[in-house]
Amino acid sequence: MYLNLNILNPEQRKAVEEIEGPSMIIAGAGSGKTRVLTFKIAYLLESGVSPFEILSLTFTNKAAAEMKDRISKLVATSFEKIWMGTFHSIFARLLRIEADYLGFNRNFSIYDTDDSASLIKQIMINLSQPTDNPTPKAVHNFISNLKNKMILPKEFSTMAKSTFEKKIEIIYEEYQKALFKNNAMDFDDLLLKPIELFRRYPEILEKYQERFKFILVDEYQDTNKAQYTIIKLLSDKYKNLSIVGDDAQSIYKWRGAEIQNIFDFQDDFKECKIFKLEQNYRSSQNILTLAGNVIKNNKKQMEKELWTENDEGEKIHIIESMTDRDEAVRICRNIYDEIQRKKINFKDFVILYRTNVQSRTIEDALRNNNIPYLIIGGVRFYQRKEIKDILAFLKIIVNPQDNESLTRVLGLRAGIGKTTIDKLIAKAENEGIQIFELLKKISAEKDLSSKVKNLLIEITNYVYKFQYLQEEVPLTELVNSVVDEIGILRALRLENTVESEERIGNIQELLSAVAEFRDTDDEPTLEMFLQKVSLVADIDNLDNQKNAVTLMTIHSAKGLEFPVVFITGLEEGLFPVSGANMYEDELEEERRLFYVAITRAETKLYISFANQRYRFGTPSFQMKSRFLKEIPEDIYNSIITFENLKLKTGYRSGGEKKSVSGSAPSVKFNPTPKKKNSSLNVEDEFNDKFPDIKKGVTVTHNTFGKGTVLNTVGKGIDKKAEIYFDDVGLKKIMLKYAKMTVEDS
């Protein structure tokens, strides 16, 4: 197979052909960075480099899978020996090989955030510390931040000053000890332990330096200190390191990413060659112009000028709504309008928001209007209770030392209560052994009833039985046998509820995932399956084939693209999230996040904001986001206000059209109402709550006191007033919600 480099633009080709020494590829949004990475790997293979000598690091499994698929279409030679995947999956793989050097068994468990929080909770209880403030989850977040900065317990002990930090210091140390006892690592350890391994054993480092002579790193701007250190150590001998990134898309500071890593790359690698990918293939010119105008307001950035040969495209649509409910309804209206006009599908739309809490109102509107949707970032599949329960049973087969999984299994066994589990935990702690070691000799225990001891012996025998079977039977048969043994499907079928049916469906999906893993993975073992599910991310499960509108946070949307994008909630305190008193670096990160949101759009972009939004359970008046001021006037349509937004078309079930005049009712838009004979009650919707409101009228508001009406806009349900209150100044009031009286003239 001949590798045709002529399909690349000149700068892309230069970047691909540069394989010796360090290189930095600054890839603007939509500039084809995945193409460059895949072609570069293909070019390395065509140049005679062994796949065994290539390491390719990504930030999502989805990106790794896409790259593998593309490479398979570019080269005829086998490339399976390339180590390609996320940082966590790659270094979990390495640790499986070398774990014994650090005192771990290769069958170590990988704890997710829930497992870690559960372990920390038990530690806090053992230390007689309250678990309500701080919560175990908050403690784990703090420890995770320390690990991202490579601050270990010993180092932190010299830094801890406050009472809170002193508490964390003790918990952190005990947490690391407990992980080791459990033969377990958390996500952060998957990056810290390789560094420890390389520094303690230079011969191991040299082994992998020799192996990975060519290293490629995607999304370099999102690397944290630990990831940076691993890359530096591994590439130090041959320095054949290619990094791809875009400082303008660095949006993960909150989870430890250090944007300075990309700015410092030239200093770290003096011979570095720089390539800038500035041609955008994704977006229309107007969308690109908006992105450029927004990001230029950041002081800290690498200069680049994105351009495109695409059409100018439609202007940006800015939607002003009175409330967050109105915002959601108007989004639904526009989705149906777009589908009618352009004959596109629901899957062509994405609705983006700054925080997950914004999704509820949007979901309500989508459901009410029978719009199918897929939400990314809810309860992840592998976090659902029934799935976590089965995984716990599977984990103790592989690693009986895993106390967290074992106590979960014990808690699921009828006849074994919390008191018994607490006794076992305390006794194991006192004897300095793991709970499973205690179970092996449980028959000698005197303070447990014969019934309880028999149940505990059954669990011990379960582990022994399936440890034997995992060496004798295929993976799918093993997992099916476990599900059958624990009786979870039988129990759920007996419940015979809607919820139990959903859970049965989830378990069946898990069995399908096991079968797929068996058929596609190079090492289809239970151990590797558990590793894979431990490291799966929300975005890895995005189903591009499902015809549904996608809902997600902007952080989750990075790397994706959609024909039509809605960016919601452009209000101060929401986006940017922290309000007016932000540090400059925080504000710049928020602006980069806005830039990422904008550049997800291919052909059409909607930006919306509301004047009033429920926050913390109460309606709150919102200010327009400062980012709206950064949009050039010549690239957006007039703001869609209440007076000029018309509901042009209503729909009965079955698609029958009828005309509706007047302003769009606040929450009544429903193209396919569930009840066939339901219709919009226009008369009711447009009743005016304050018919006497006009300029100059004096009002008394229950909260704001006395004020004077300066102006009114809209009519009926959408009518609002600008009122200057003596005590609090100017307020925009939506009259349908107003709690006030009009004084007699």
Side-chain angles (χ1 to χ4, degrees), residues 120-131 134 136 139 171:
I120 286 170
K121 183 178 181 179
Q122 186 58 53
I123 291 167
M124 293 171 77
I125 291 169
N126 293 345
L127 294 170
S128 301
Q129 291 193 11
T131 58
V139 173
I171 297 169

Side-chain angles (χ1 to χ4, degrees), residues 386-581:
E386 61 278 8
I387 304 300
K388 289 275 287 186
D389 290 344
I390 294 171
L391 291 177
F393 277 95
L394 295 173
K395 284 179 179 180
I396 62 171
I397 298 168
V398 172
N399 177 23
Q401 302 302 103
D402 183 351
N403 275 3
E404 287 306 301
S405 295
L406 183 54
T407 53
R408 187 179 187 105
V409 166
L410 293 173
L412 293 168
R413 189 70 169 86
I416 302 176
K418 186 176 182 301
T419 304
T420 299
I421 295 171
D422 288 344
K423 279 183 184 178
L424 293 171
I425 292 171
K427 190 169 180 60
E429 190 75 25
N430 290 335
E431 294 186 18
I433 60 175
Q434 295 304 92
I435 295 173
F436 189 74
E437 296 301 313
L438 189 64
L439 296 188
K440 288 180 184 178
K441 54 182 185 178
I442 202 70
S443 56
E445 289 297 318
K446 295 178 181 177
D447 57 346
L448 294 174
S449 69
S450 298
K451 182 182 176 183
V452 170
K453 284 195 280 190
N454 287 335
L455 291 171
L456 295 171
I457 290 168
E458 280 181 20
I459 290 171
T460 310
N461 290 337
Y462 158 86
V463 173
Y464 290 145
K465 171 185 172 181
F466 282 100
Q467 281 183 331
Y468 170 77
L469 283 177
Q470 76 168 325
E471 304 296 330
E472 300 295 323
V473 302
L475 179 61
T476 48
E477 189 177 331
L478 179 76
V479 176
N480 274 284
S481 298
V482 168
V483 171
D484 188 58
E485 177 94 1
I486 64 182
I488 187 169
L489 281 174
R490 289 191 299 276
L492 288 171
R493 286 182 181 123
L494 285 171
E495 284 185 24
N496 195 27
T497 63
V498 173
E499 187 183 61
S500 67
E501 284 298 315
E502 186 177 334
R503 290 183 171 181
I504 289 168
N506 289 337
I507 295 169
Q508 289 168 340
E509 184 62 28
L510 174 66
L511 298 175
S512 297
V514 173
E516 184 181 346
F517 179 79
R518 173 204 62 195
D519 295 337
T520 58
D521 200 83
D522 297 334
E523 192 179 349
T525 63
L526 178 58
E527 181 184 296
M528 296 311 293
F529 175 74
L530 291 172
Q531 175 174 301
K532 181 188 175 185
V533 302
S534 296
L535 301 176
V536 74
D538 289 343
I539 199 62
D540 297 330
N541 295 319
L542 178 60
D543 183 1
N544 293 321
Q545 301 307 308
K546 186 176 180 181
N547 190 24
V549 176
T550 303
L551 277 67
M552 62 174 77
T553 64
I554 301 167
H555 284 100
S556 297
K558 190 159 173 288
L560 303 178
E561 57 189 42
F562 294 84
V564 185
V565 171
F566 291 87
I567 309 173
T568 63
L570 264 291
E571 302 140 32
E572 287 293 306
L574 187 60
F575 197 9
V577 71
S578 299
N581 300 317

Side-chain angles (χ1 to χ4, degrees), residues 264-295:
D264 290 345
F265 190 81
Q266 296 175 75
D267 295 328
D268 294 333
F269 297 89
K270 302 294 185 186
E271 305 300 315
C272 163
K273 293 185 174 65
I274 299 174
F275 305 92
K276 291 185 180 181
L277 308 184
E278 296 176 304
Q279 183 175 359
N280 176 284
Y281 295 92
R282 177 186 299 157
S283 305
S284 66
Q285 183 59 62
N286 278 327
I287 292 169
L288 214 55
T289 301
L290 170 59
N293 272 273
V294 166
I295 203 64

